[in-house]
Amino acid sequence: MALSGFKRAIPPMQILPEEQVLEIQNGVLHVLDTTGVQFESDNALKILEKGGCRVDRGEKRVRFSRRLVEEALAGCPATYTVHSRDPERSVILGGDTLYFSDMPGRGILDLGSWAVRPATIEENRAAMLVLDALPNFHVLCAYTPYFDVEGWSPHMSITESTAAKIRLSTKVQWTGYQEDCELFAIEMAQATSQDIIGISCTSSPLTFGADACESAIRFARAGLPVHVVSGCIMGATAPVTVAGSLVSFSAEALAGIVLVQLARRGTRVSVEDSVLPMGVFSGAPVFGSLAAMLHIAAFGQLWRRYKVPLFANSGWTNAKQMDFQDGWEKSLTTLVIALSGCNVANFHGGVYGELAFHPLQALMDDDVAGTVGRFLEGVRVDRETLAVELIEKTGPIPGDFLTSPHTRAFIRQELFLPQAADLLTYQEWEGQGRKSALDVARERMEAILATHRPLPLPEEQDQEIEKILVKARRHYKDRR
Amino acid sequence: MESVLAEIKKQVLAYNRDGVRELAEQALAQGVEPLALVETLREVIAGVGEQFASHRVFLPELVGAAGAMEAGMAVAQAAIARRGLQAASFATVAIGTVAGDIHSIGKNLVAALLSAAGATVLDLGINVPVEMFLAEAQEYQPQVLAMSALLTTTAPEQRKVIERLAAAGLRESVKVIVGGGAISAAFAESIGADGYGGTAPQAVELVRRLVGRAAGRTDGR
């Protein structure tokens, strides 16, 4: 029995007429066939050439026919299980299900000054426990929750993080790559008999770096899922328009899918829209913006037809604090992701664009996830919920529904109860010490840390993870 | 002569690189002094820079104008070199993305803004090996060496360059600044850099500060 996530019971949003979706698709196929995509890896070029792509070795440029793209998509399972070491925590990606992942950060936020600093090992552990405990959180993102943890060298950051996630949570995870560290992640997946999703990120425009290619090939050949991500910047590394950047993004992502399917047919693949607009003065990406929301909506509509699980980001915001802007940017984008038919929203815990993570933010975000997820499940209309007979029986005043068994039977499924939001009456709020949402989240976090114990890793598997860590640390020490 | 210089200004503002290059050659052929050509180009780009600073011009427009300006500047600089003259510039900056890193946009933005501010920019490109940074520092003696790194894995290259500059006895003669997605002020300090810029405009201010110039002066005097 896997984690159920939220089942979308309402039709996905359509912001484009069908003929415009086809225009975008034709643009994508044209780019793939004529411009092509650059792969900075001889290994990848060899695989792509053998698979029938037109390869210019000198330019490292690969061009793809429509047929090859369609064949690759046909090889991708539309829905599939990502196996946890605890079967009850596995997820079934794809279809109409929405799950939530997190948005990691480089460091932890100081709640007084809002400065960002590296997290301690204990803070990393605490944040992991919170994520493991949250009911509306399902998939651990790469680098979770922090990139910078005191005592971890930059070379070991991903590997240490992957191991910490395995030890402190049974929720499934994806992981990053740098300097071949994905080889250690694959070993860890094998040692603990679970899936770890590998990623492959494009270097936009239209380029896959050597390390991105190797990560995709290695995870595919290890029989593990591969997550293809493009984070092109509208106006900088992609056209500034939503339509143009969707063409460029999609060409990159489809090229990545072809590589993965040629490396190993049937590999479980997912795609992530990390596209953002450029700040018109700084040149830096702008998070939580309208342009990103429109892009995600169009992405969802175009990519639903390709039948691969879709991810998008709503966890990053342009706010530097846990404040009003942080709340509305994240919430609106999450709703757009959900309504667009995407399957995973990378959402919990992030403040600003991967700069900071905080477990209190994740606790408050979990309320948004629950609310959006419940919205997606829609309105049940049948004889029982219509309650015509009950209304007839109850009649006008002095009748009421408070004591009706019908109310007790349906109240939990009809309403979503946020855990950190303030639902008190004014009098209750005064009586209970005028607590803010942050105060309530803090109390909830303390309770989680005091009581939540993730399913421990079996002793022999824990030792295997330690051996892999020791090997990795030696490897990077020797390389330095 | 006046009309060709006016047209150059117009074409810079129209982001027309080829047009500016041709007009610059035409201007020289008509007897315009190369230093006057430089002055014209700097004047127009300084105006764009001021509008950018007051948020009336967006970054892509500034970069477009800087690119057109640079096309004309290359023509002027070649003429200056042929005649053994020297153009005024508030700073000479060598800039590049470190080895192993192919990300160019941040570095290009800094280069464009520096040019717009009146600096002479030596753009070494992307994936620049340590040896090339060293060779540039030796040969051209820039006042500032700027390094970009987007990846956490390539950030240590910046440390290597600084260490090699020190070993070669060049560290005192050049200010080193760093930036890029993987870099923080704390990292910059830890590797012994002279400064860190989180954004392209901050990088320009940093260069101005390090070479001892007040903001807003772009005329080389």
Side-chain angles (χ1 to χ4, degrees), chain A residues 232-421:
Chain A
C232 48
I233 307 296
M234 302 160 77
T237 57
V240 74
T241 50
V242 171
S245 57
L246 185 56
V247 169
S248 191
F249 161 89
S250 300
E252 292 171 3
L254 284 169
I257 286 176
V258 174
L259 173 64
V260 170
Q261 290 303 323
L262 290 176
R264 187 173 182 274
R265 180 86 178 160
T267 293
R268 294 164 289 171
V269 179
S270 53
V271 167
E272 178 178 314
D273 179 352
S274 281
V275 178
L276 293 165
M278 178 183 67
V280 294
F281 301 115
S282 67
V286 178
F287 308 95
S289 67
L290 170 70
M293 292 182 213
L294 283 170
H295 199 279
I296 289 167
F299 158 71
Q301 191 174 344
L302 172 69
W303 275 79
R304 285 197 300 272
R305 70 185 50 219
Y306 297 149
K307 299 202 183 313
V308 293
L310 307 178
F311 287 51
N313 294 311
S314 57
W316 44 27
T317 156
N318 238 49
K320 319 300 182 291
Q321 308 178 14
M322 297 179 210
D323 59 11
F324 177 75
Q325 183 182 345
D326 169 60
W328 77 255
E329 286 185 353
K330 292 185 71 165
S331 301
L332 278 184
T333 314
T334 301
L335 190 59
V336 170
I337 288 174
L339 294 175
S340 304
C342 294
N343 303 107
V344 180
N346 301 325
F347 174 58
H348 284 63
V351 182
Y352 196 59
E354 294 193 315
L355 183 69
F357 177 97
H358 202 287
L360 294 182
Q361 177 74 48
L363 275 154
M364 295 190 289
D365 288 338
D366 204 56
D367 281 350
V368 178
T371 306
V372 169
R374 176 64 193 84
F375 185 88
L376 215 55
E377 290 172 345
V379 178
R380 180 180 149 192
V381 180
D382 56 25
R383 190 175 163 184
E384 272 191 294
T385 60
L386 284 168
V388 174
E389 288 162 19
L390 176 65
I391 294 165
E392 193 179 329
K393 186 178 152 195
T394 307
I397 289 175
D400 69 62
F401 299 89
L402 186 62
T403 56
S404 160
H406 182 272
T407 303
R408 291 194 297 276
F410 284 96
I411 194 162
R412 288 185 186 278
Q413 75 176 55
E414 288 292 301
L415 306 178
F416 171 76
L417 275 190
Q419 300 293 305

Side-chain angles (χ1 to χ4, degrees), chain A residues 38 40 106 147 154-155 177-179 203-205 207 209 211 235-237 278-284, chain B residues 51-52 54-60 102-103 105 109 113 151-153 156 181-184 199-201:
Chain A
Q38 187 169 299
E40 307 257 341
R106 193 165 77 195
F147 303 179
H155 302 273
Y177 56 88
Q178 64 174 18
E179 296 182 293
S203 298
S204 305
T207 303
D211 48 359
T237 57
M278 178 183 67
V280 294
F281 301 115
S282 67
Chain B
Q51 289 189 53
F52 176 74
S54 58
H55 288 189
R56 283 174 289 156
V57 159
F58 290 174
L59 187 63
I102 58 170
H103 296 89
I105 287 185
L109 292 180
L113 292 193
L151 307 172
T152 50
T153 47
I183 310 304
S184 65
T199 64

Side-chain angles (χ1 to χ4, degrees), chain A residues 205-223:
Chain A
L206 300 176
T207 303
F208 278 84
D211 48 359
C213 295
E214 290 309 317
S215 176
I217 295 165
R218 285 166 173 168
F219 274 93
R221 289 190 168 160

Side-chain angles (χ1 to χ4, degrees), chain B residues 94-203:
Chain B
I95 187 168
T97 304
V98 297
D101 205 324
I102 58 170
H103 296 89
S104 60
I105 287 185
K107 182 264 300 171
N108 290 348
L109 292 180
V110 173
L113 292 193
L114 282 169
S115 292
T120 300
V121 178
L122 308 168
D123 190 341
L124 313 183
I126 56 173
N127 195 16
V128 178
V130 175
E131 295 70 26
M132 190 168 167
F133 279 114
L134 246 67
E136 287 289 316
Q138 264 166 336
E139 187 174 349
Y140 296 103
Q141 299 177 346
Q143 289 145 293
V144 179
L145 184 65
M147 290 183 281
S148 169
L150 185 77
L151 307 172
T152 50
T153 47
T154 56
E157 289 293 312
Q158 298 182 338
R159 184 196 300 275
K160 280 188 203 164
V161 172
I162 291 174
E163 286 171 355
R164 291 284 298 278
L165 282 171
L170 296 167
R171 183 67 188 88
E172 297 306 313
S173 60
V174 63
K175 300 287 186 192
V176 178
I177 65 171
V178 293
I183 310 304
S184 65
F187 177 80
E189 197 180 336
S190 76
I191 64 171
D194 295 302
Y196 158 78
T199 64
Q202 281 174 13

Side-chain angles (χ1 to χ4, degrees), chain B residues 8 16-27 67-68 71-72 74-75:
Chain B
I8 284 173
N16 184 353
R17 295 176 71 106
D18 292 343
V20 171
R21 187 183 301 113
E22 284 166 23
L23 285 164
E25 281 162 1
Q26 202 178 312
V75 174

Side-chain angles (χ1 to χ4, degrees), chain A residues 57-119:
Chain A
R57 289 283 184 141
E59 281 190 319
K60 300 186 174 181
R61 190 81 69 89
V62 181
R63 292 173 175 84
F64 304 83
S65 68
R66 184 186 192 115
R67 184 183 56 79
L68 265 173
V69 173
E70 288 172 351
E71 278 177 9
L73 285 170
C76 302
T79 62
Y80 53 81
T81 302
V82 182
H83 298 278
S84 160
R85 63 181 170 90
D86 174 1
E88 294 198 353
R89 293 289 189 90
S90 296
V91 295
I92 303 169
L93 293 182
D96 295 332
T97 306
L98 175 69
Y99 289 107
F100 284 91
S101 182
D102 58 295
M103 179 57 66
R106 193 165 77 195
I108 187 168
L109 270 183
D110 178 85
L111 297 185
S113 65
W114 302 109
V116 183
R117 59 167 174 79

Side-chain angles (χ1 to χ4, degrees), chain A residues 16 18-33 66 69-70 73 243 246-247 250-251 254 298 301-306:
Chain A
L16 299 167
E18 180 60 19
E19 62 270 22
Q20 290 186 353
V21 177
L22 289 175
E23 275 185 63
I24 294 173
Q25 176 165 277
N26 288 339
V28 175
L29 293 171
H30 179 80
V31 168
L32 284 167
D33 193 46
R66 184 186 192 115
V69 173
E70 288 172 351
L73 285 170
L246 185 56
V247 169
S250 300
L254 284 169
Q301 191 174 344
L302 172 69
W303 275 79
R304 285 197 300 272
R305 70 185 50 219
Y306 297 149

